[in-house]
Amino acid sequence: MEKKPALNLIYALCQALQSEHVSYCHWKSNAAIDRSATGDNDLDLLIDERDSQRFTQILRRLGFKEARVAPEQQVPGIQDYFGFDAESGKLVHVHAHYHLVLGDDMTKNYRLPIERPFLDSASQGDLFRLPAPEFELVVLVVRMVLKHLTWDAILSRQGRLPKSARGELEYLRARVDCDRVRAIVQEHLADIGVELFERCMDALRPGCPTRTRAEVGRQLQLRLATRARRSRGLDVGLKLWRRGRRAASRRLLKRVSGRRPVSGGAVIALVGGDGAGKSTAVDDLYGWLSNDFDAIKVHMGKPDWSWTTVTLRGLMKLGTALGLFPFARAPIEYASDAPYPVFPGYAAVVREVCAARDRHRTYVKARRFADRGGLVICDRYPIPQIKLMDGPLAGLMTEAKLATSLDRLLVGVEQRYYQRIGPPKLLMVLRLDPEIAVQRKQIEDPISVRARNQEIWQTDWPETSAHVIDACRSKQEVSAALKSLVWSVI
């Protein structure tokens, strides 16, 4: 299979680190280093603490941005940065380690203070600086035992070594000098000792009895007790608690919280007429961001109904069916700045007021999530320039009849809900020729499709803060333009 080239951003990063003499290496998972070069794996870089300032300056110069996990999950000496490779559209995750902190992913409880000799063993590879395989094997063995061979790991079904880890062990075993491995353990990890280390190696081999594996894990934890960030009992309790909480979050919320940009969260809105590719673009952006960041998507055009809406719409539907509310459906081709030619009845007006209330509730939910550092992708958004979709309609509906106190009340309530919806941090507009939109949406009413796109097509967008994207371009070009804009506000 032909080797894929490194991403331009990753190549530029490695070149900058080399030219500025930053002491670093790609310290793990080097059996699959090609996947790191193409951005399919994280870049796990160990950096000399003395070069930390130059390292972060290089990242910022290349457009990388820092993100953090929840405070209780943060580990001293480890930072996360993300960069955007414009040509591929990929996010590049740099997992920067200044300390070698190991253990279960939930707690990372143990530090091996051998960073300096580990870095001194590194040499320049085709792209990255790579550690000597002997050092890499020593750290990998300790990592895998602490993650998978303890009693709590085995009881919580974490005891099976992943296929990728088994492959990495075999890859390194075939490349190391065993005498050099023993010398490294004896010189730099004397508290573990050569005898226990070799037992750890054997315990990671397939077929090793569970009791033996757990006993080796227990002994390694005892030997590393002075290098632990917290006691063994507290660490076990914390692992179980966090693992249970993550499972509950995945089951109840259908997602697991990710990292949040240090610069803060953002509400990002995408609007456009039917056929402009709005929903497809929202799904694409959400999938792109949610792999690494704490992100949600909301539909401001079709918000979830509150119980108030369910109740009122049910009553209106029942009243209309019983003839209590005279109903006349307005023609769809009314002008956006003109009143309805026929009053459609109070059932329709109440529905619009309920929609305004639900959009406001959805906005509040999105705003709060963003204020906590999350990223919100909005499918449609109420803005003054668009009246045919997601705007106030009660006033237009009631102008067809003599205004009453009830009319004024409903219109006022609807307007107040919309007035309380603030602008998004980033507004992107997919602009499409109305006739092309009609061709794309042949199964839908052409009058409605044309009217909605005509409104967007004729709006003077340069007078607003919106970023306009030509939706006639290819899907790949539109996606690239949207991702670049989104990355600029993160």
Side-chain angles (χ1 to χ4, degrees):
M1 181 181 294
E2 185 178 354
K3 182 179 177 181
K4 292 194 292 186
L7 297 185
N8 288 340
L9 180 62
I10 295 177
Y11 180 80
L13 172 62
C14 292
Q15 290 296 105
L17 293 175
Q18 184 177 359
S19 64
E20 299 193 25
H21 307 290
V22 173
S23 179
Y24 87 100
C25 68
H26 192 284
W27 72 276
K28 67 175 182 177
S29 303
N30 291 323
I33 193 65
D34 290 345
R35 288 179 56 81
S36 296
T38 57
D40 295 321
N41 281 346
D42 300 345
L43 304 187
D44 287 292
L45 305 184
L46 177 65
I47 302 99
D48 193 321
E49 286 182 290
R50 295 171 297 183
D51 294 335
S52 60
Q53 186 173 359
R54 275 187 294 158
F55 175 72
T56 54
Q57 287 174 346
I58 289 171
L59 290 179
R60 292 193 182 98
R61 191 168 69 238
L62 293 174
F64 282 85
K65 302 178 182 183
E66 187 179 357
R68 292 176 185 165
V69 293
E72 67 272 12
Q73 297 176 11
Q74 292 175 16
V75 179
I78 300 178
Q79 294 177 312
D80 293 283
Y81 295 89
F82 291 87
F84 176 56
D85 184 75
E87 185 175 353
S88 67
K90 289 183 176 180
L91 290 178
V92 175
H93 178 193
V94 172
H95 206 197
H97 300 251
Y98 299 101
H99 297 160
L100 285 173
V101 185
L102 316 175
D104 188 276
D105 289 339
M106 296 291 107
T107 57
K108 298 289 186 186
N109 195 38
Y110 301 90
R111 180 190 173 191
L112 294 186
I114 61 170
E115 296 89 358
R116 194 67 53 79
F118 195 99
L119 285 168
D120 290 342
S121 79
S123 58
Q124 184 62 46
D126 292 339
L127 182 61
F128 301 97
R129 284 183 60 81
L130 302 176
E134 291 82 7
F135 267 97
E136 190 176 352
L137 177 64
V138 168
V139 174
L140 176 62
V141 169
V142 175
R143 272 201 310 128
M144 292 300 103
V145 171
L146 292 175
K147 284 183 69 172
H148 301 289
L149 302 193
T150 61
W151 273 114
D152 59 276
I154 293 170
L155 291 176
S156 58
R157 296 186 174 184
Q158 306 295 315
R160 183 177 178 83
L161 209 62
K163 182 179 178 180
S164 59
R166 296 197 300 270
E168 195 173 350
L169 280 168
E170 293 306 316
Y171 171 85
L172 290 172
R173 279 171 174 154
R175 286 163 174 77
V176 301
D177 179 332
C178 294
D179 291 336
R180 177 64 179 145
V181 170
R182 295 188 189 97
I184 289 171
V185 174
Q186 189 169 1
E187 180 179 358
H188 301 292
L189 296 173
D191 47 353
I192 294 178
V194 173
E195 187 271 335
L196 178 57
F197 179 81
E198 292 186 339
R199 289 179 61 197
C200 289
M201 289 269 288
D202 292 337
L204 290 170
R205 296 184 186 277
C208 183
T210 300
R211 182 179 294 275
T212 301
R213 290 156 59 89
E215 178 59 21
V216 167
R218 185 185 71 85
Q219 290 189 19
L220 182 61
Q221 286 180 310
L222 289 174
R223 296 281 183 92
L224 293 176
T226 57
R227 303 178 187 267
R229 298 195 298 136
R230 58 183 72 86
S231 70
R232 184 181 170 195
L234 180 59
D235 184 58
V236 170
L238 197 58
K239 279 190 281 188
L240 296 176
W241 161 251
R242 289 179 177 175
R243 191 167 284 121
R245 187 175 62 180
R246 172 173 288 196
S249 178
R250 183 179 285 112
R251 181 178 296 272
L252 298 176
L253 302 179
K254 306 302 181 184
R255 66 180 183 86
V256 176
S257 295
R259 298 169 183 83
R260 298 184 172 189
V262 170
S263 59
V267 175
I268 299 161
L270 189 61
V271 301
D274 301 326
K278 190 171 58 276
S279 296
T280 300
V282 167
D283 290 340
D284 181 45
L285 288 174
Y286 173 73
W288 175 63
L289 290 172
S290 60
N291 287 330
D292 297 302
F293 294 98
D294 200 3
I296 60 172
K297 61 177 178 178
V298 298
H299 202 308
M300 291 288 283
K302 300 176 182 178
D304 293 335
W305 290 3
S306 65
W307 283 110
T308 300
T309 297
V310 171
T311 302
L312 288 176
R313 286 181 69 107
L315 290 173
M316 293 298 104
K317 187 173 182 178
L318 177 62
T320 301
L322 296 175
L324 299 178
F325 306 116
F327 183 83
R329 187 177 300 277
I332 198 167
E333 62 268 24
Y334 71 91
S336 61
D337 58 350
Y340 275 52
V342 178
F343 177 58
Y346 282 111
V349 178
V350 170
R351 280 200 299 270
E352 292 303 325
V353 175
C354 288
R357 181 176 184 271
D358 290 338
R359 285 176 182 134
H360 176 260
R361 293 178 72 252
T362 301
Y363 163 76
V364 170
K365 170 187 172 183
R367 182 74 270 160
R368 288 174 178 170
F369 186 83
D371 287 343
R372 295 195 299 270
L375 302 175
V376 185
I377 309 298
C378 298
D379 189 340
R380 294 166 45 178
Y381 202 88
I383 57 176
Q385 292 78 14
I386 300 179
K387 298 181 174 63
L388 291 182
M389 291 187 294
D390 316 327
L393 295 178
L396 296 175
M397 289 180 172
T398 56
E399 284 185 28
K401 61 187 288 291
L402 293 177
T404 66
S405 298
L406 179 58
D407 297 336
R408 290 191 292 272
L409 173 64
L410 293 174
V411 170
V413 170
E414 184 194 42
Q415 288 179 342
R416 283 193 292 275
Y417 280 126
Y418 282 111
Q419 289 168 357
R420 294 171 186 166
I421 298 177
K425 186 173 184 179
L426 174 64
L427 174 62
M428 299 178 292
V429 178
L430 289 177
R431 187 170 181 264
L432 182 65
D433 185 299
E435 299 309 317
I436 295 178
V438 170
Q439 294 173 14
R440 289 184 179 181
K441 288 287 187 178
Q442 294 184 8
I443 62 173
E444 296 188 17
D445 184 6
I447 297 176
S448 173
V449 173
R450 184 179 289 107
R452 292 184 171 193
N453 281 278
Q454 191 74 35
E455 184 178 37
I456 293 174
W457 184 261
Q458 294 177 342
T459 296
D460 188 11
W461 294 110
E463 296 298 319
T464 71
S465 61
H467 297 267
V468 180
I469 307 296
D470 182 4
C472 295
R473 298 157 65 185
S474 69
K475 180 181 176 181
Q476 291 74 20
E477 290 175 316
V478 170
S479 176
L482 294 174
K483 287 177 179 178
S484 294
L485 285 170
V486 169
W487 190 248
S488 70
V489 303
I490 291 178

